[in-house]
Amino acid sequence: MLLKARLCVLLLALSWSVALLSEPARAQDDAEDAELDVEDDVTVGDEGDVEEEPAPRASAVPKVTYKAPEPKGEHYFAESFDRGTLDSWVLSKAKKDDIDEEIAKYDGKWEVEEMKDSKLPGDKGLVLKSRAKHHAISGLLLRPFVFNTKPLIVQYEVNFQTGIDCGGAYVKLLSQTPELDLDQFVDKTPYTIMFGPDKCGEDYKLHFIFRHKNPKTGEFEEKHVLKMLDFGRKTLYLQNTVVNSGNLLNDMTPAVNPPAEIEDPNDQKPEDWDERDEDAPAKVQDEEAVKPDGWLDDEPEYIGDPDALKPEDWDEDMDGEWEAPQVSNPACESAPGCGKWERPMIDNPNYKGKWKPPMIDNPNYQGVWKPRKISNPDFFEDLHPFRMSSFSAVGLELWSMSSDIFFDNFFITDDRNVAERWAEDGWGLKKAAEGAAEPGLMSQMVSAAEERPWLWVIYVLTVALPLILIFVFCCTGKKKPAAAEYKKTDEPQPDVKAETEEEEAKEEEPQGMKTELLLAILASTWHGPNNFFGG
């Protein structure tokens, strides 16, 4: 009975939810959008006076007015491209080494323009325009970023407007060196950090690489994040959400610090070392076997079908040399076999399995031999890998088979609050505009039904079915009498209380796993300068 009551409540809730579909479009009063400038269409006169147009219909969607983000605090780099020019950026004039002259130039085109199908008119960005071209563009920071006790925060927006086939959309933070020349920015230009998405074929990745200087040799080595984040076929969303985190000392490969000891390369196993390991194979060739008479050594078991014909549309330049399909060799049908004869395999009489030591001590047993350990001559210990080479420019050095990749709102700072305000004024405004442009659920349902009238039947059934089920479950069926309502009789009666308790126990669901999973998803922390996070 308790189960039936709960089912009734559930069905009532379902019917009420469907009825609410007819309410007006949902209110957009999220706290994160509270400061956004949302207003109705406004016309600005020649003298600067604002003239309001006639009040729009009740179903009109409010318009989100674009306002270029401005830095609100200390920062090293801020670019929204809303000036409409590339005046502060430098296009590379260099060529790549070791490739054909025809494709060596960095001649890919860049433009500043609005995003296709933009919901926020006036918002411009940097667009990679060319396919199958090398692109390189960079801009100087206001001042070099020097790694000390403050965090480094880098953020930018990217949108693959036409999808992505093969190519990257990562940024490089170019190291501050006397040789740095943005006119000659190429793939081998020294960088401090490389970060961003990359894809080719079915391989989706989010890179995080930093170049670490060996304090003993002075040479640089790339350190890749251990969790490379291979997303497979899934779409990657990094919208203000942590998708990776870790520690520079523990979560990079190769590790920042080498091992203190290594195996001695000059150490050799003594000749009398006893490992007592069985190495006899389980199967051996039967030496007593004799090749059957009539075995056709020179005849293959399969031959090309002599009746097969090459297709008329076969193009050897495109399809390769044509070969007839394989069929069984008719010459082998009457013979005991064809091809090279080999002795059959039999059980090895000397095979005893892997040797195990006896139950008494073996005076000669010394265990599995390993080279002795010696101090690593290349050992060093860098406990502060966050103190990387300072950088003075940000650059995009990309090759892509996709065009119209849209970049926007680059920002570099050491203050997380300043970065979050920039994100709210830039990406947050885009998010609000997209939300405002989405039609209400009721409007979508009506529009869909206008194109497909049969959907009205589904809508009616969606409302009517819960009501029918409520009537069936709540208003019909035989009532089960309580124990006190049974007539006097000597026959044993069911224990109603016990049955009810048993039903309730069966209906209970363990919730510990769900709570634990939610906590694992929601938990994220920031621990200090040697830690990093993505997203």
Side-chain angles (χ1 to χ4, degrees), residues 129-167:
K129 299 294 293 183
S130 312
R131 294 179 69 255
K133 294 279 188 179
H134 292 289
H135 302 73
I137 191 170
S138 55
L140 285 173
L141 273 60
L142 297 176
R143 60 190 182 282
F145 185 95
V146 180
F147 292 85
N148 44 43
T149 59
K150 290 187 175 182
L152 165 65
I153 300 170
V154 180
Q155 62 187 40
Y156 69 102
E157 299 172 22
V158 60
N159 186 298
F160 300 99
Q161 300 184 88
T162 59
I164 179 168
D165 187 21
C166 184

Side-chain angles (χ1 to χ4, degrees), residues 340-353:
K340 182 181 178 182
W341 180 81
E342 294 182 352
R343 288 185 173 88
M345 302 297 287
I346 61 172
D347 292 336
N348 184 359
N350 297 320
Y351 178 70
K352 302 175 183 177

Side-chain angles (χ1 to χ4, degrees), residues 462-477:
T462 303
V463 177
L465 185 59
L467 298 175
I468 295 172
L469 291 175
I470 290 170
F471 177 79
V472 171
F473 279 92
C474 300
C475 305
T476 63

Side-chain angles (χ1 to χ4, degrees), residues 301-376:
E301 187 175 357
Y302 295 94
I303 61 172
D305 187 354
D307 298 327
L309 298 176
K310 181 170 69 173
E312 294 182 359
D313 59 349
W314 187 273
D315 186 342
E316 294 199 353
D317 291 336
M318 297 292 293
D319 305 322
E321 184 179 354
W322 181 81
E323 294 182 358
Q326 297 287 298
V327 296
S328 298
N329 188 346
C332 300
E333 293 179 359
S334 58
C338 291
K340 182 181 178 182
W341 180 81
E342 294 182 352
R343 288 185 173 88
M345 302 297 287
I346 61 172
D347 292 336
N348 184 359
N350 297 320
Y351 178 70
K352 302 175 183 177
K354 189 173 181 179
W355 180 84
K356 296 181 180 179
M359 297 304 292
I360 61 173
D361 292 338
N362 180 355
N364 298 319
Y365 181 72
Q366 296 167 267
V368 178
W369 183 87
K370 291 183 179 180
R372 65 173 177 267
K373 294 281 188 177
I374 60 172
S375 297
N376 185 354

Side-chain angles (χ1 to χ4, degrees), residues 184-456:
Q184 299 300 311
F185 176 31
V186 293
D187 57 328
K188 296 179 181 178
T189 300
Y191 68 88
T192 300
I193 289 176
M194 187 179 103
F195 169 70
D198 191 11
K199 174 189 180 287
C200 201
E202 297 300 321
D203 189 18
Y204 293 78
K205 289 180 179 176
L206 175 66
H207 290 291
F208 172 63
I209 307 170
F210 79 96
R211 295 172 70 247
H212 179 259
K213 185 177 181 180
N214 186 312
K216 296 192 71 171
T217 65
E219 296 181 354
F220 285 88
E221 184 178 30
E222 288 185 349
K223 307 295 181 181
H224 297 248
V225 63
L226 204 56
K227 297 179 287 184
M228 186 60 78
L229 292 183
D230 188 343
F231 291 96
R233 297 174 180 271
K234 298 180 180 178
T235 304
L236 175 60
Y237 293 98
L238 304 177
Q239 299 179 352
N240 217 19
T241 302
V242 174
V243 296
N244 197 3
S245 61
N247 185 283
L248 298 179
L249 287 170
N250 305 324
D251 299 305
M252 308 301 294
T253 181
V256 169
N257 294 313
E261 290 186 325
I262 59 172
E263 293 182 348
D264 186 353
N266 300 316
D267 196 13
Q268 296 182 352
K269 182 171 69 173
E271 293 181 0
D272 60 348
W273 191 275
D274 185 5
E275 292 185 350
R276 301 294 294 274
D277 194 10
E278 177 64 62
D279 57 1
K283 295 278 187 179
V284 294
Q285 288 187 343
D286 185 359
E287 296 297 332
E288 298 180 359
V290 179
K291 181 170 64 174
D293 292 335
W295 189 279
L296 304 178
D297 294 270
D298 298 329
E299 288 287 346
E301 187 175 357
Y302 295 94
I303 61 172
D305 187 354
D307 298 327
L309 298 176
K310 181 170 69 173
E312 294 182 359
D313 59 349
W314 187 273
D315 186 342
E316 294 199 353
D317 291 336
M318 297 292 293
D319 305 322
E321 184 179 354
W322 181 81
E323 294 182 358
Q326 297 287 298
V327 296
S328 298
N329 188 346
C332 300
E333 293 179 359
S334 58
C338 291
K340 182 181 178 182
W341 180 81
E342 294 182 352
R343 288 185 173 88
M345 302 297 287
I346 61 172
D347 292 336
N348 184 359
N350 297 320
Y351 178 70
K352 302 175 183 177
K354 189 173 181 179
W355 180 84
K356 296 181 180 179
M359 297 304 292
I360 61 173
D361 292 338
N362 180 355
N364 298 319
Y365 181 72
Q366 296 167 267
V368 178
W369 183 87
K370 291 183 179 180
R372 65 173 177 267
K373 294 281 188 177
I374 60 172
S375 297
N376 185 354
D378 299 323
F379 175 73
F380 63 84
E381 189 174 34
D382 180 1
L383 297 180
H384 304 284
F386 176 74
R387 295 173 184 169
M388 307 175 197
S389 302
S390 58
F391 63 92
S392 57
V394 59
L396 298 168
E397 188 271 317
L398 306 168
W399 182 91
S400 178
M401 288 301 295
S402 303
S403 60
D404 294 312
I405 303 177
F406 182 91
F407 297 89
D408 200 7
N409 293 335
F410 289 86
F411 197 68
I412 299 175
T413 182
D414 56 17
D415 189 324
R416 192 167 183 177
N417 292 327
V418 174
E420 288 176 352
R421 285 196 291 268
W422 173 272
E424 289 172 2
D425 293 344
W427 175 78
L429 200 63
K430 286 187 176 73
K431 183 181 177 183
E434 291 174 359
E438 290 180 0
L441 180 58
M442 193 61 187
S443 300
Q444 295 181 47
M445 292 174 64
V446 172
S447 298
E450 288 177 353
E451 297 179 3
R452 305 174 186 85
W454 52 267
L455 284 175
W456 287 113

